[in-house]
């Protein structure tokens, strides 16, 4: 059964149960109240009639308000010997029941039930009289019958309204789920990740729809990134493969001596090394991105680590570029030393690769309140405003020809950003074309709990 059907049945069953309980309660309450009211009416009429009987000089007198039938109450006035003076009762059996002074009881007569009251009226020295009043029990249940009839008419109406209202409410409430299902099915069939779920309300299902839209957006971004990655990787591998095949064909068909053969083999070897480096870099990046590589975060002396990496990089200067540093000692962070070193190296090597001849690179590490700032500044070729948003993309190069000469693969900055994310850090860049660049990584400092 669908959720809509289950909700509708639940509403209907709940309404039936509630109506039956209410009907039973009202019937019991009404019966009790009606019986009590009927007996009150009997007692009231009985006492009113008793006060309207008197003797005057031995003559029986009845007031003008004397009634033998009033408010469904039947009354008789009888002599001491039982002879009827006035009035009547609805059943002969009620006339035959012996009089009992001050009694109020329930009796059966002619297949009906009655409430009966007797009282002896003493008028010494005049003769005593008997007053008897009765009220039918069936007469006291008229309101109950009316209540039952109204309930039997209204109960199906209420159940129908509850079922219809529950169905409409369930249908309206579950409409966003249908839109989610239809959109997901459409995406599955067409492969179009750009489709989004229409959000009309801000309720729980509306929030769920927005969550699905965010998921679709991220899937689309990842899918497009993977397509671009596959295209770029294919492009990067196509060039060295083409060179290797061309050199092999030339060596087999045109090489005339050992020198030419050695030259062809040397070219093939360089392209092989390039391909091997590219594959290793792709493998490392994939492991890092998919968290296949085991990341171990331990308290690490970042100051000493940055000093060590700077010493290594300064040993192999390029284009006579100087490397200076300003490192605050004793800074400790939760970090993976291997990944952290790779991030620092990538940033410094990037500055070397795009630096000016006789230029400079400045490395800085300092702690500010609740963050640690690591930055690499150079006076190299800089990055244009057009290129700046794309430098974190895999295989993207600002100066493609210069990058190829230096052996760059376009994966360094992408790896820097991924390593920063693993360490819950933010990486930013400020750059002006032909002036230089500054890359800054901001690490949060965890407060120690006592």
């Amino acid at each position: 059964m669908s959720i809509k059907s289950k909700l509708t049945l639940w509403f209907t069953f709940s309404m039936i149960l509630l109506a039956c309980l209410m009907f039973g309660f009202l019937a019991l309450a009404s019966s009790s109240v009606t019986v009590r009211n009927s007996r009150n009416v009997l007692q009231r009429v009985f006492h009113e009639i008793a006060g309207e009987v008197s003797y005057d000089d031995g003559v029986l007198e009845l007031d003008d308000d004397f009634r033998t039938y009033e408010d469904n109450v039947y009354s008789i006035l009888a002599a001491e010997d039982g002879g009827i003076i006035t009035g009547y009762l609805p059943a002969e059996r009620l006339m035959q029941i012996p009089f009992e002074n001050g009694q109020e009881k329930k009796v059966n007569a002619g297949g009906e039930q009655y409430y009966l009251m007797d009282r002896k009226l003493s008028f010494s020295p005049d003769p005593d009289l008997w007053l008897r009043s009765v009220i039918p029990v069936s007469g006291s249940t008229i309101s109950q019958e009316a209540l039952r009839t109204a309930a039997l008419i209204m109960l199906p109406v209420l159940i129908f309204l509850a079922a219809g209202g529950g169905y409409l409410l369930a249908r309206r409430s579950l409409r966003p789920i249908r839109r989610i299902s239809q959109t997901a099915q459409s995406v599955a069939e067409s492969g179009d990740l750009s489709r989004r779920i229409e959000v009309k309300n801000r309720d729980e299902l509306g929030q769920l729809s927005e969550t699905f839209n965010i998921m679709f957006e991220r899937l689309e971004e990842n899918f497009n990134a993977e397509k671009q990655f596959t295209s770029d990787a294919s492009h990067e591998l196509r060039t060295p493969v083409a060179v290797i095949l061309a050199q092999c064909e030339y060596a087999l068909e045109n090489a005339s001596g050992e020198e030419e053969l050695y030259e062809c083999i040397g070219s093939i070897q360089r392209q092989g090394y390039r391909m091997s480096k590219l594959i290793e870099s792709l493998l490392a990046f994939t492991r890092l991105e998919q968290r296949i590589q085991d990341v171990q975060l331990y308290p690490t002396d970042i100051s000493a680590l940055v000093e060590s990496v700077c010493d290594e990089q300064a040993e192999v200067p390029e284009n006579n570029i100087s490397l200076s540093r300003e490192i605050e000692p004793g800074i400790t962070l939760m970090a993976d030393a291997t990944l952290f070193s790779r991030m620092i190296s990538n940033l410094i090597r990037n500055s070397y690769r795009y630096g000016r001849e006789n230029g400079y690179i400045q490395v800085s590490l300092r702690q500010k309140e609740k963050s640690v700032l690591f930055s690499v500044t150079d006076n190299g070729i800089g990055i244009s405003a057009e290129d700046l948003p794309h430098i974190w993309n895999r295989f993207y190069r600002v100066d493609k020809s210069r990058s190829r000469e230096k052996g760059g693969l376009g994966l360094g900055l992408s790896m820097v950003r991924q390593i920063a994310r693993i360490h819950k850090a933010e990486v930013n860049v400020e750059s002006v074309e032909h002036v230089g660049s500054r890359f800054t990584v901001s690490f949060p400092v965890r407060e120690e709990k006592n």
Side-chain angles (χ1 to χ4, degrees):
M1 292 179 64
S2 64
I3 297 178
K4 181 168 58 180
S5 300
K6 290 180 180 178
L7 289 176
T8 302
L9 287 177
W10 170 251
F11 283 133
T12 305
F13 175 76
S14 300
M15 191 60 194
I16 292 174
L17 180 60
L18 179 62
C20 291
L21 291 175
M22 288 299 296
F23 175 70
F25 173 77
L26 289 175
L28 291 175
S30 175
S31 176
S32 175
V33 171
T34 302
V35 168
R36 185 166 59 250
N37 289 341
S38 297
R39 296 179 68 180
N40 290 337
V41 170
L42 175 63
Q43 293 174 7
R44 176 180 59 79
V45 173
F46 183 85
H47 291 297
E48 287 177 357
I49 294 175
E52 294 169 353
V53 179
S54 64
Y55 276 95
D56 185 11
D57 294 333
V59 178
L60 178 64
E61 290 188 353
L62 302 176
D63 290 350
D64 295 338
D65 293 334
F66 183 86
R67 300 284 189 275
T68 58
Y69 178 78
E70 183 180 353
D71 292 341
N72 206 34
V73 176
Y74 300 85
S75 302
I76 61 170
L77 188 64
E80 180 70 24
D81 58 4
I84 304 300
I85 298 174
T86 184
Y88 71 98
L89 298 178
E92 184 67 26
R93 170 81 176 96
L94 297 173
M95 308 285 287
Q96 300 171 355
I97 298 174
F99 289 99
E100 297 182 48
N101 187 31
Q103 290 295 316
E104 178 183 348
K105 55 188 176 181
K106 190 176 183 180
V107 297
N108 294 319
E112 295 287 340
Q113 289 186 328
Y114 298 87
Y115 291 111
L116 180 146
M117 288 187 68
D118 287 339
R119 181 177 175 183
K120 188 174 184 179
L121 305 177
S122 298
F123 299 98
S124 181
D126 296 317
D128 295 335
L129 301 176
W130 285 99
L131 176 63
R132 170 170 288 178
S133 296
V134 298
I135 186 171
V137 174
S138 60
S140 67
T141 60
I142 294 177
S143 58
Q144 296 182 53
E145 294 297 332
L147 176 64
R148 291 191 185 98
T149 303
L152 290 175
I153 294 174
M154 291 301 299
L155 186 60
V157 175
L158 291 176
I159 293 173
F160 176 78
L161 291 177
Y167 175 81
L168 293 176
L169 179 62
R171 181 179 179 182
R172 180 179 180 83
S173 300
L174 297 176
R175 192 175 298 164
I177 295 182
R178 177 179 293 181
R179 288 199 295 267
I180 293 173
S181 177
Q182 290 175 345
T183 303
Q185 185 176 0
S186 176
V187 170
E189 292 175 353
S190 65
D192 182 10
L193 291 172
S194 63
R195 294 181 60 86
R196 297 293 182 266
I197 302 168
E198 182 181 4
V199 181
K200 293 184 177 180
N201 299 315
R202 300 291 300 177
D203 55 9
E204 290 83 354
L205 291 177
Q207 295 175 9
L208 178 63
S209 299
E210 289 184 348
T211 302
F212 270 92
N213 285 338
I214 294 173
M215 181 188 69
F216 286 142
E217 183 177 354
R218 292 185 177 177
L219 285 175
E220 183 182 15
E221 291 176 357
N222 291 336
F223 182 72
N224 292 335
E226 291 304 317
K227 285 201 304 184
Q228 185 65 37
F229 176 78
T230 303
S231 175
D232 292 339
S234 301
H235 179 75
E236 291 294 329
L237 289 171
R238 182 172 55 187
T239 300
V241 169
V243 172
I244 289 174
L245 291 175
Q247 291 295 331
C248 288
E249 290 177 0
Y250 179 82
L252 289 173
E253 297 177 1
N254 300 317
S256 57
E258 291 185 2
E259 185 176 348
E260 276 191 289
L261 285 174
Y262 279 124
E263 185 176 345
C264 291
I265 293 173
S267 177
I268 292 172
Q269 185 184 45
R270 288 192 298 273
Q271 296 302 321
Y273 283 144
R274 179 177 176 80
M275 290 176 63
S276 176
K277 183 179 179 181
L278 175 61
I279 292 171
E280 289 178 1
S281 298
L282 287 175
L283 182 60
F285 188 86
T286 301
R287 287 177 173 174
L288 187 64
E289 191 173 46
Q290 297 182 358
R291 299 296 177 90
I292 298 175
Q293 179 176 340
D294 189 19
V295 178
Q296 301 290 338
L297 300 179
Y298 294 109
T300 304
D301 188 343
I302 301 301
S303 301
L305 189 61
V306 174
E307 286 278 8
S308 175
V309 174
C310 287
D311 289 340
E312 294 175 0
Q313 296 296 326
E315 292 179 359
V316 191
E318 296 184 20
N319 296 327
N320 200 28
I321 297 175
S322 63
L323 176 63
S324 61
R325 67 200 78 169
E326 185 178 346
I327 301 173
E328 184 177 328
I331 297 178
T332 303
L333 287 176
M334 295 294 294
D336 185 302
T338 302
L339 293 179
F340 203 97
S341 299
R342 180 178 295 176
M343 180 183 65
I344 300 171
S345 299
N346 285 355
L347 288 174
I348 296 176
R349 294 307 305 169
N350 187 74
S351 293
Y352 271 124
R353 186 172 296 117
Y354 296 102
R356 299 176 183 276
E357 190 169 356
N358 300 318
Y360 66 85
I361 299 174
Q362 295 177 341
V363 176
S364 171
L365 178 68
R366 64 186 186 280
Q367 185 166 349
K368 289 182 60 177
E369 298 179 354
K370 296 182 179 181
S371 63
V372 172
L373 300 179
F374 170 78
S375 64
V376 177
T377 306
D378 63 61
N379 64 339
I381 64 174
I383 305 170
S384 67
E386 181 182 353
D387 290 322
L388 204 57
H390 307 290
I391 62 172
W392 309 109
N393 297 343
R394 291 168 290 192
F395 297 111
Y396 190 85
R397 302 182 183 89
V398 175
D399 187 341
K400 295 178 174 57
S401 60
R402 185 170 184 180
S403 179
R404 290 183 186 278
E405 292 174 3
K406 300 295 183 178
L409 299 173
L411 292 173
L413 292 181
S414 297
M415 193 168 292
V416 166
R417 184 173 65 171
Q418 191 63 31
I419 295 174
R421 286 177 176 174
I422 291 175
H423 290 81
K424 311 298 182 184
E426 294 183 2
V427 57
N428 299 293
V429 58
E430 303 172 18
S431 184
V432 178
E433 194 172 11
H434 307 304
V435 176
S437 305
R438 173 180 293 167
F439 290 86
T440 304
V441 187
S442 176
F443 299 90
V445 176
R446 299 181 182 177
E447 296 183 358
E448 296 184 0
K449 297 182 180 180
N450 296 328

